[in-house]
């Protein structure tokens, strides 16, 4: 077997993997490039001429900035509600045996197994039948619903991965149940809760399908992009896309540095 | 299960493995005669598992050769070698039952009718009737035997065992040691057994190689190594030794004379690894006797006086620590046979031994240690 | 959370028995708001959707719909939109095939070959999700455009005719679906490949399995839970997607989602839209639970 051949047999998987990563990252590069583009016409998607104008005046089309702001508001409200409700459910599922537990597990699982299309249309059918006017609040309600399951799953995973002996040790060292929860459980679970909240926010901020059915005339950022795709996309959309990407990247690095420390703290130690 | 393959010894020639700047195995050469039970003994990190993995083909050597008979198998992929491994913690396939785990190797070599062979090897390891169990449903000892059967069924020329009994409790380990020895005698395949447990190595192996820092310190029959270690490392790793720093000061007939602590001792030339310069005089703790006074020491013996600083009752024996006038600490095992005098902490006592039980090792100049590592039997786990 | 039982001020005076009763009640209190939300805004709407799918189709949004057991809505809707329905599953299936070919080596390389680059590569896999789904999909419009470098290259090497195009073809839609949902396939697959004990691979190799046999007999079966989970997480959104068909295709590439969208929001034909939507949901849930017989739900959650 020649050396070259052997090298290829050992490294082709990595080669394919890097090509696939290229495929995954290419659109981001394009979005970033287009954020510096001065398009030749409203309906053109090709790179024309370099400019910094889009970054200088991101709100040149003011309705886009309104939509971004609305998405942030909705994302914030949905995140707070879904994280609170989901965390409580996660604690119950991870720490308690009670009747209906397996039924609840299915109820939590189902929204993740149902296509968004079906959830969006179902809610629309309900709101219409109930005479509920569509708008800001129906979007929030819908977003809380589909974020909830993801929060439950994320927090529950953190809770079940936690070493129960740490809590037992705290109780052994004279901490009451409340003190144990406050001083041991909560600090150890909080990275999971933070991760769940970030996930919920990004799901809510980026949701199009469910929002599309339940927004009435309210325009979120994805709704704005969808509408603009028919009339011509202002290049500032790519500025928002790039800014989102950079913010998320920053958050990931920040949490991974902080997370590495607390993960080490919460991992079960060697067992006897 | 008779031998199918022509006779072939396993030979390692100048085998070296480096990981970056770290040398795991350093220019190692040895021969494992066909049909022998060979143990590689060493502390963790000494390179014994790396050596085993190079024989199995799981790790390419940096340099050197692995030969089976006259065949160079150094560059052969693991799945093309007539060598099988019993992995540490077994590596049984969790998605396959016992039967399919055992039949795995045969099936990969395109053998269709495996039933008879699988049953035969399962009864060899005394697991008849376990064919349809999953590895997860077996106890540690049973898993160990499945791993053994899975390797043995292929009639390898050499069977490699990587700490195969490490995960078992003491009683089970004893039982499996006897079992492994029985199976090895029955099938007549060469076994290369890697372990850090000196007792395990000594119980089972015909030949033991003690490894340290990537090199073999000593190789030989277990009793020979124990009775006459070649280096200070072997003397303390394999059991305990009292080592007293001294200098060769002359000879008298078949004996070498050693001066240590201002006293002269003699050691037979045949039990000396060197005949000049700085040396370590070694005596195993169980070869030492205790007496209340110098007058009680029988003729022909040599002695050191001291104070008992510790006495631990171990049931079968009592372990004493004795501090000599010159500051050396000696460890003494006295069998609790009922007719020996007992000593209390603080009492004066005399430790004595017969010169033919002592051994003499070379000592590097800077190595001034005298009787190190007491009370910490290295390598006994 | 168990500590919440001690919060009320009367705790000191309450008898152990009352405390114990409250502790038994606690899990229900924890669960109540979340479960109520899911019942109210997930389960009930699904029921309402089922009901709407059986409305009398002669009604309209302005005159109101009469509840009826109009099961005829289903065959009627399917007769017209069968092509789009079939296309949804066909495109999703094709995208899944492409995604498996791309995703398995990627997940394998990250789990087993990446060494200290593992975390960086993982961030790269989820990086596309950092920015807006729609903006990313629109970027493909630029990449695949008729004047773009890619089409030019393919024309030069004669893989495309001189006026062949990628945009507005089924290829573009399938590529877009693959791209958008690939991370959902890769992540669970990565997790199960990562858990795979390397000694099992060594053991297989020691027992005469060639690399291919090792993959078929050990790696693949042991990565099955991740493969099942990843496939489902890919298929669920891909089948119901209509953004890629809308932005990268033409009405010839429309999937069932485009039809449902227009039935509810443009044509305002609720019974028909509800029937199609309910059908899609049932088909996907049947797929999910059929698949889950092979892997426990814990692996998916």
């Amino acid at each position: 077997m020649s050396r070259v051949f052997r090298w290829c047999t050992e490294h082709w998987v990595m080669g394919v993997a890097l090509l696939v990563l290229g495929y995954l990252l290419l659109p981001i590069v394009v979005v970033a490039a287009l954020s510096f583009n001065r398009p030749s016409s409203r309906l053109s998607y090709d790179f024309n001429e370099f400019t910094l104008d889009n970054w200088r005046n991101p709100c040149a089309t003011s309705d886009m900035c309104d939509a971004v702001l609305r998405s942030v508001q909705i994302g914030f409200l949905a995140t707070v509600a879904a994280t609170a409700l989901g965390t409580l459910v996660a604690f119950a599922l991870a720490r308690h045996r009670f009747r209906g537990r397996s039924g609840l597990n299915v109820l939590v699982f189902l929204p993740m197994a149902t296509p968004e299309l079906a959830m969006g249309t179902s809610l629309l059918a309900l709101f219409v039948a109930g005479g509920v006017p569509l708008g800001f609040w129906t979007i929030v309600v819908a977003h809380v619903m589909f974020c909830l399951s993801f929060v439950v799953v994320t927090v529950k995973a953190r809770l079940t991965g936690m070493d129960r002996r740490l809590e037992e040790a705290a109780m052994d060292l004279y901490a009451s149940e409340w003190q144990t929860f406050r001083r041991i459980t909560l600090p150890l679970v909080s990275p999971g809760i933070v991760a769940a909240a970030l996930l919920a926010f990004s799901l809510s901020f980026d949701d199009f399908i469910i929002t599309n059915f339940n927004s009435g005339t309210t325009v979120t950022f994805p709704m704005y992009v969808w509408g603009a795709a028919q009339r011509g996309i202002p290049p500032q959309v790519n500025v928002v896309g790039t800014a989102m990407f950079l913010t998320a990247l920053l958050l990931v690095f920040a949490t991974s540095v902080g997370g590495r420390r607390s993960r080490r703290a919460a991992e079960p130690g060697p067992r006897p | 299960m008779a031998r199918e393959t022509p006779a072939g010894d396993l030979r390692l020639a100048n085998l070296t493995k480096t990981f970056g700047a770290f040398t795991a195995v350093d220019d190692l050469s040895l021969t494992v005669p066909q049909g022998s039970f060979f143990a590689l003994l060493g502390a963790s990190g000494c390179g014994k598992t790396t050596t085993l993995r190079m024989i199995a083909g799981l790790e390419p050597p940096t340099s050197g050769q692995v030969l089976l008979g006259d065949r160079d198998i150094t560059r052969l992929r693991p799945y093309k070698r007539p060598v099988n491994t019993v992995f540490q913690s077994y590596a049984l396939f969790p998605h396959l039952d016992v039967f399919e785990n055992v039949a795995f190797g045969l099936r990969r070599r395109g053998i269709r009718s495996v039933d008879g062979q699988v049953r035969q090897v399962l009864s060899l390891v005394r697991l008849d009737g376990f064919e349809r169990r999953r590895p997860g449903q077996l106890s540690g000892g049973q898993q160990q035997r499945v791993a053994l059967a899975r390797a043995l069924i292929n009639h390898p020329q050499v069977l490699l065992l990587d700490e195969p009994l490490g995960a078992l409790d003491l009683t089970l380990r004893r039982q499996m040691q006897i079992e492994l020895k029985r199976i090895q005698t029955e099938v007549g395949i060469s076994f290369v057994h890697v372990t850090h447990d000196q007792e395990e190595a000594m119980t089972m192996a015909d030949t033991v190689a003690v490894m340290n820092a990537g090199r073999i310190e000593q190789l030989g029959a277990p009793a020979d190594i124990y009775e006459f270690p070649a280096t200070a490392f072997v003397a303390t790793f394999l059991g305990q030794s009292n080592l007293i720093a001294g200098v060769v000061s002359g000879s008298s007939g078949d004996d070498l004379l050693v001066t240590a602590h201002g006293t002269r001792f003699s050691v037979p030339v045949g039990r000396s690894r060197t005949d000049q310069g700085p040396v370590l005089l070694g005596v195993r703790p169980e070869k030492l006797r205790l007496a209340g006074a110098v007058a009680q020491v029988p003729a022909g013996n040599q002695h050191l006086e001291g104070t008992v600083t510790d006495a631990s009752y171990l049931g079968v024996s009592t372990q004493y620590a004795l501090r000599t006038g010159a500051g050396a600490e000696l460890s003494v095992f006295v069998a609790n046979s009922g007719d020996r005098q007992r000593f209390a902490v603080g009492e004066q006592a005399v430790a004595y031994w017969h010169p033919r039980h002592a051994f003499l090792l070379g000592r590097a100049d800077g190595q001034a240690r005298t009787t190190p590592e007491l009370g910490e039997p290295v390598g006994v786990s | 959370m168990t500590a919440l039982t001690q919060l009320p001020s009367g705790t000191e005076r309450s008898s152990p028995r009352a405390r114990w009763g409250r502790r038994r009640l606690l899990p229900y209190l924890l669960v109540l708001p979340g479960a109520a939300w899911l019942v109210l805004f997930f389960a009930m709407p699904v029921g309402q959707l089922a009901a709407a799918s059986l409305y009398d189709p002669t009604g309209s949004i302005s005159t109101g719909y009469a509840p009826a057991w109009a099961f005829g809505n289903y065959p009627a809707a399917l007769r017209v939109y069968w092509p789009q329905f079939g296309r949804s599953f066909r495109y999703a299936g094709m995208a899944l095939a492409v995604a498996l070919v791309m995703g398995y080596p990627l997940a394998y390389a990250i789990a087993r070959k990446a060494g200290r680059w593992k975390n960086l590569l993982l961030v790269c896999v989820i990086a596309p999700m950092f920015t807006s789904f729609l903006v990313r999909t629109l970027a493909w419009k630029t990449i695949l455009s008729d004047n773009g470098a890619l089409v030019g290259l393919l024309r030069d090497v004669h893989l495309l005719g001189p006026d062949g195009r990628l945009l507005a073809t089924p290829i573009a839609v399938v590529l877009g679906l693959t791209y958008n949902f690939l991370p959902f396939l890769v992540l669970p697959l990565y997790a199960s490949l990562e858990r795979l004990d390397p000694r099992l691979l060594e053991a297989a190799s020691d027992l005469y399995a060639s690399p291919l046999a090792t993959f078929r007999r050990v790696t693949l079966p042991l990565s099955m839970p991740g493969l099942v989970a990843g496939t489902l997480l890919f298929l669920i959104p891909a089948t119901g997607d209509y953004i890629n068909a809308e932005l990268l295709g033409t009405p010839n590439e429309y999937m069932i989602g485009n039809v449902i969208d227009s039935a509810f929001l443009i044509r305002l034909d609720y019974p028909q839209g509800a029937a199609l939507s309910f059908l899609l949901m049932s088909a996907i849930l049947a797929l999910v639970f059929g698949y889950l017989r092979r892997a426990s739900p814990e692996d998916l959650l």
Side-chain angles (χ1 to χ4, degrees):
Chain A
M1 224 191 294
S2 80
R3 281 195 110 129
V4 179
F5 182 74
R6 184 170 257 201
W7 192 89
C8 290
T9 58
E10 266 163 33
H11 295 279
W12 71 268
V13 179
M14 204 26 128
V16 172
L18 291 178
L19 282 177
V20 175
L21 275 185
Y23 169 75
L24 280 174
L25 296 179
L26 180 64
I28 297 177
V29 177
V30 171
V31 170
L34 288 180
S35 74
F36 295 104
N37 182 33
R38 192 197 309 279
S40 50
S41 75
R42 272 188 83 78
L43 278 167
S44 160
Y45 287 95
D46 299 326
F47 197 87
N48 180 45
E49 189 190 341
F50 181 85
T51 174
L52 286 174
D53 287 354
N54 310 324
W55 282 89
R56 276 201 208 100
N57 308 304
C59 285
T61 44
S62 66
D63 40 349
M64 184 193 80
C65 279
D66 293 344
V68 171
L69 191 65
R70 203 162 295 118
S71 275
V72 171
Q73 289 168 339
I74 291 171
F76 178 77
L77 290 170
T79 299
V80 170
T83 306
L85 300 186
T87 302
L88 295 181
V89 173
F91 265 96
L93 286 175
R95 289 297 164 82
H96 295 275
R97 310 265 139 208
F98 54 93
R99 282 168 54 142
R101 191 167 169 274
S102 52
L104 183 62
N105 264 322
V106 173
L107 187 63
V108 168
F109 169 70
L110 273 177
M112 294 190 292
T114 308
E116 284 188 71
L117 198 59
M119 286 192 281
T121 51
S122 298
L123 266 173
L124 173 62
L126 182 78
F127 287 143
V128 167
V132 180
L134 298 175
F136 187 90
W137 290 105
T138 51
I139 300 177
V140 173
V141 163
H143 284 198
V144 172
M145 184 270 291
F146 73 75
C147 291
L148 231 173
S149 295
F150 288 95
V151 172
V152 173
V153 170
T154 312
V155 177
K156 199 174 103 185
R158 177 89 191 177
L159 268 172
T160 47
M162 206 178 101
D163 191 349
R164 278 308 287 268
R165 288 177 305 174
L166 295 173
E167 285 162 310
E168 289 165 6
M171 299 246 210
D172 182 58
L173 297 168
Y174 314 107
S176 70
E177 285 173 319
W178 168 247
Q179 286 169 328
T180 303
F181 173 74
R182 173 74 193 76
R183 303 273 165 209
I184 306 294
T185 316
L186 198 60
L188 288 179
V189 182
S190 58
I193 299 177
V194 170
L198 287 175
L199 180 66
F201 184 84
S202 69
L203 284 172
S204 163
F205 189 88
D206 202 23
D207 178 74
F208 170 71
I209 295 182
I210 292 179
T211 312
N212 190 28
F213 287 105
N214 296 291
S215 59
T217 53
T218 307
V219 178
T220 62
F221 178 63
M223 295 290 298
Y224 174 82
V225 177
W226 179 257
Q230 331 288 329
R231 311 182 303 267
I233 301 279
Q236 283 83 357
V237 163
N238 294 308
V239 172
V240 175
T242 311
M244 270 170 77
F245 177 78
L246 293 177
T247 312
L249 204 62
L250 217 67
L251 271 174
V252 164
F253 279 116
T255 50
S256 83
V257 170
R260 207 170 298 156
R261 235 179 299 136
S262 65
R263 204 176 318 127
R264 224 177 292 144
E267 260 165 14
R271 284 171 195 286
Chain B
M1 238 175 276
R3 247 176 254 171
E4 287 182 345
T5 37
D9 298 349
L10 170 70
R11 283 195 297 140
L12 308 184
N14 309 102
L15 208 56
T16 300
K17 177 75 189 180
T18 55
F19 297 102
F22 174 69
T23 305
V25 176
D26 193 359
D27 196 32
L28 188 103
S29 296
L30 60 82
T31 302
V32 179
Q34 174 157 29
S36 64
F37 200 129
F38 190 95
L40 273 175
L41 176 65
S44 61
C46 74
K48 56 190 196 304
T49 296
T50 310
T51 307
L52 197 80
R53 290 170 60 82
M54 287 193 284
I55 302 173
L58 298 169
E59 203 85 69
T62 311
S63 65
Q65 287 176 300
V66 180
L67 300 132
L68 255 184
D70 295 326
R71 194 162 154 229
D72 184 351
I73 60 167
T74 317
R75 298 279 149 203
L76 223 52
R77 306 299 247 167
Y79 50 92
K80 300 221 165 123
R81 294 187 186 207
V83 169
N84 291 111
T85 309
V86 176
F87 286 82
Q88 192 172 11
S89 55
Y90 325 131
L92 299 179
F93 302 122
H95 60 301
L96 303 177
D97 60 19
V98 168
F99 186 96
E100 286 304 321
N101 261 287
V102 174
F104 192 91
L106 294 183
R107 291 205 197 280
R108 295 291 80 69
R109 288 184 297 162
I111 295 164
R112 289 254 168 269
S113 55
V114 297
D115 273 45
Q117 287 195 62
V118 172
R119 266 171 237 297
Q120 201 187 339
V121 75
L122 280 180
S123 84
L124 179 74
V125 298
R126 307 199 169 141
L127 277 178
D128 318 71
F130 283 77
E131 286 83 354
R132 294 299 155 212
R133 302 271 194 98
R134 289 286 176 108
Q137 300 166 298
L138 301 178
S139 72
Q142 290 166 340
Q143 290 185 15
Q144 203 278 330
R145 282 183 277 169
V146 174
L148 185 64
R150 186 176 72 170
L152 275 179
I153 198 171
N154 303 294
H155 305 288
Q157 274 177 276
V158 180
L159 184 75
L160 307 174
L161 301 113
D162 186 3
E163 305 256 6
L165 308 179
L168 306 181
D169 63 43
L170 197 62
T171 4
L172 202 52
R173 206 183 310 164
R174 289 276 150 72
Q175 204 181 320
M176 282 308 299
Q177 285 172 5
I178 298 164
E179 196 92 320
L180 265 180
K181 187 67 196 166
R182 169 184 73 84
I183 290 168
Q184 196 265 337
T185 323
E186 222 170 302
V187 298
I189 295 172
S190 313
F191 277 29
V192 177
H193 180 173
V194 154
T195 180
H196 65 271
D197 182 342
Q198 42 142 332
E199 203 182 308
E200 192 175 299
M202 296 211 278
T203 321
M204 293 193 283
D206 314 322
T207 311
V208 174
V210 181
M211 279 190 81
N212 182 34
R215 292 172 166 277
I216 290 184
E217 295 258 334
Q218 190 175 4
L219 188 149
D224 296 348
I225 297 183
Y226 186 82
E227 293 300 333
F228 188 22
T231 63
F233 175 81
V234 176
T236 49
F237 184 76
L238 208 65
Q240 296 182 32
S241 291
N242 294 301
L243 297 176
I244 303 157
V247 177
V248 175
S249 54
S251 65
S252 133
D254 281 346
D255 289 341
L256 282 174
L257 299 176
V258 177
T259 310
H261 298 307
T263 316
R264 280 192 143 190
F265 302 98
S266 67
V267 183
V269 171
R271 299 207 28 96
S272 303
R273 297 285 178 191
T274 179
D275 58 1
Q276 56 188 347
V279 288
L280 289 168
L281 173 68
V283 191
R284 296 282 188 185
E286 73 275 13
K287 301 278 166 50
L288 287 176
R289 302 280 163 84
L290 283 184
V294 176
Q296 293 167 1
V297 174
N301 282 289
Q302 301 183 327
H303 66 267
L304 275 170
E305 291 168 76
T307 314
V308 175
T309 55
D310 187 53
S312 320
Y313 181 75
L314 303 176
V316 63
S317 65
T318 305
Q319 179 177 2
Y320 292 100
L322 195 71
R323 182 170 288 279
T324 68
E329 282 236 359
L330 296 180
S331 171
V332 184
F333 291 161
V334 177
N336 287 330
S337 54
D339 53 2
R340 301 281 167 81
Q341 187 188 345
R342 304 274 293 267
F343 292 87
V345 173
E347 269 186 89
Q348 292 293 312
V350 180
Y352 64 92
W353 67 94
H354 196 276
R356 69 168 180 274
H357 288 145
F359 52 87
L360 205 61
L361 307 172
R363 167 168 68 100
D365 262 337
Q367 193 181 1
R369 61 176 187 174
T370 291
T371 308
E373 291 116 40
L374 267 193
E376 258 195 76
V378 190
V380 183
S381 60
Chain C
M1 265 302 137
T2 44
L4 284 184
T5 41
Q6 302 214 327
L7 275 184
S9 53
T11 313
E12 300 305 313
R13 269 170 285 135
S14 62
S15 69
R17 191 177 197 124
R19 252 168 100 171
W20 186 76
R22 218 173 301 159
R23 183 162 304 179
R24 267 197 352 155
L25 218 55
L26 177 71
Y28 299 100
L29 292 175
L30 293 177
V31 154
L32 187 68
W37 201 284
L38 286 178
V39 168
L40 222 56
F41 300 114
F42 175 75
M44 270 187 37
V46 170
Q48 182 59 40
L49 184 74
S53 74
L54 300 175
Y55 281 162
D56 183 354
T58 54
S60 78
I61 197 98
S62 43
T63 61
Y65 287 104
W69 296 101
F71 284 103
N73 289 344
Y74 283 87
L78 267 187
R79 238 190 327 275
V80 186
Y81 294 111
W82 174 246
Q84 284 84 348
F85 210 85
R87 200 178 288 137
S88 282
F89 284 92
R90 206 164 58 247
Y91 282 4
M94 282 157 64
L96 175 66
V98 180
L100 282 173
V101 171
M102 289 180 167
Y104 207 105
L106 179 59
Y108 189 89
I110 299 176
R112 310 223 65 92
K113 305 243 166 195
R116 61 209 181 88
W117 301 105
K118 190 182 272 186
N119 282 334
L120 183 70
L121 294 190
L122 271 180
V123 170
C124 288
V125 170
I126 55 166
M129 299 199 263
F130 291 170
T131 191
S132 162
F133 185 100
L134 286 159
V135 174
R136 272 183 282 148
T137 309
L138 285 171
W140 278 104
K141 240 175 148 147
T142 305
I143 298 167
L144 301 176
S145 94
D146 297 342
N147 328 323
L150 185 63
V151 168
L153 182 76
L154 292 176
R155 281 177 185 162
D156 287 345
V157 298
H158 298 287
L159 277 173
L160 273 181
D163 36 65
R165 49 190 318 218
L166 285 175
L167 203 60
T169 65
I171 296 177
V173 179
V174 170
L175 269 183
L177 288 171
T178 308
Y179 166 78
N180 274 315
F181 305 115
L182 187 57
F184 298 118
L185 177 72
V186 170
L187 291 178
L189 202 49
Y190 158 79
S192 70
L193 284 170
E194 152 95 309
R195 275 201 301 269
L196 186 65
D197 185 348
R199 275 172 317 186
L200 294 177
L201 306 183
E202 292 185 352
S205 172
D206 184 62
L207 295 165
Y208 310 105
S210 64
L212 190 68
T214 303
F215 177 76
R216 243 168 53 97
R217 305 282 167 186
V218 182
T219 312
L220 192 61
L222 286 174
S223 66
M224 217 26 126
L227 204 57
V228 168
T231 302
L232 288 180
L233 289 179
F234 184 95
L235 280 181
I236 294 166
T239 314
D241 179 79
Y242 59 97
I243 297 168
N244 286 282
E246 174 78 33
L247 296 182
L248 304 176
T250 67
N252 289 328
E253 281 81 39
Y254 273 6
M255 295 165 67
I256 195 63
N258 303 82
V259 176
I260 296 174
D261 180 77
S262 84
F264 274 102
L265 299 178
I266 296 163
R267 290 185 281 112
L268 301 179
D269 186 346
Y270 277 34
Q272 184 195 62
L276 287 172
S277 188
F278 197 74
L279 211 56
L280 174 75
M281 179 174 157
S282 316
I284 287 183
L285 282 181
L287 188 87
V288 169
F289 284 102
Y291 244 79
L292 281 187
R293 288 184 168 191
R294 305 195 54 168
S296 76
E298 296 298 324
D299 286 318
L300 196 71
L301 291 184

